[in-house]
Amino acid sequence: MAKEFSRVDRLSQQMQQEMAVILQREIKDPRLHSMITVSAVDVSKDLSHAKIFVTFLGLEQAKVKLNLDILNDASGFIRSLIAKRIQSRIVPTIRFYFDESLDRGINMANLVEQVRKEDERKRVASGQEPEPKAKHDEEE
């Protein structure tokens, strides 16, 4: 019978929590965007490598690569900070990656909203009654 949480999962979760605090409070690079969110940490089975997935809230796409380069350049320093905070004999080498899922989700929601508005405009233009608002739309 498998354990409920493996060692890799526990380390990933702990690294994600510590990484969020470190990026928020410890890293003082003025070139780095201030609103960084750690969305996931993927640790390899042998605990030697960790992929850190981050999002930059409100940052245009052109500056994302620059911010990732800054984080990856500081990865050794960040790894040493993590080593001081977690109870593990092995601290994985870290590499930062941009998590595009948040941007994709926002883009998808915007596309759905555009289609809804266009559908409503066509409905009114053809002489049909506007679709009644859903209960959750009225609450917003």
Side-chain angles (χ1 to χ4, degrees):
M1 188 166 106
K3 294 181 183 177
E4 191 171 329
F5 289 106
S6 69
R7 182 175 181 196
V8 173
D9 293 337
R10 289 190 310 266
L11 183 61
S12 295
Q13 186 177 26
Q14 187 176 13
M15 282 187 68
Q16 183 173 356
Q17 292 170 351
E18 295 299 334
M19 187 66 65
V21 172
I22 288 171
L23 292 178
Q24 195 174 55
R25 297 184 185 152
E26 303 287 331
I27 304 299
K28 302 289 186 205
D29 193 328
R31 302 171 297 164
L32 197 59
H33 187 65
S34 62
M35 297 292 290
I36 302 173
T37 304
V38 179
S39 55
V41 174
D42 184 22
V43 177
S44 65
K45 296 276 186 210
D46 64 354
L47 307 178
S48 63
H49 302 287
K51 294 179 181 178
I52 313 295
F53 294 94
V54 294
T55 58
F56 304 98
L57 300 176
L59 187 64
E60 58 268 8
Q61 196 65 29
K63 294 184 179 180
V64 167
K65 184 174 180 346
L66 173 67
N67 278 268
L68 282 176
D69 290 342
I70 293 168
L71 287 173
N72 282 314
D73 288 344
S75 64
F77 172 69
I78 295 170
R79 181 178 180 224
S80 69
L81 292 175
I82 288 178
K84 293 174 187 174
R85 293 170 179 242
I86 64 173
Q87 300 294 321
S88 179
R89 188 174 57 84
I90 300 171
V91 178
T93 57
I94 58 176
R95 182 95 178 133
F96 290 91
Y97 296 91
F98 180 61
D99 184 8
E100 297 177 355
S101 62
L102 181 65
D103 288 343
R104 285 186 192 153
I106 291 171
N107 188 31
M108 192 66 75
N110 289 338
L111 289 172
V112 168
E113 186 61 29
Q114 285 177 358
V115 169
R116 282 185 59 219
K117 287 180 180 178
E118 181 65 20
D119 188 43
E120 188 66 28
R121 188 189 62 75
K122 286 180 180 179
R123 181 185 299 267
V124 171
S126 68
Q128 295 179 5
E129 286 187 25
E131 191 172 290
K133 289 196 179 241
K135 186 170 183 90
H136 71 279
D137 287 344
E138 293 171 0
E139 293 172 359
E140 293 176 1

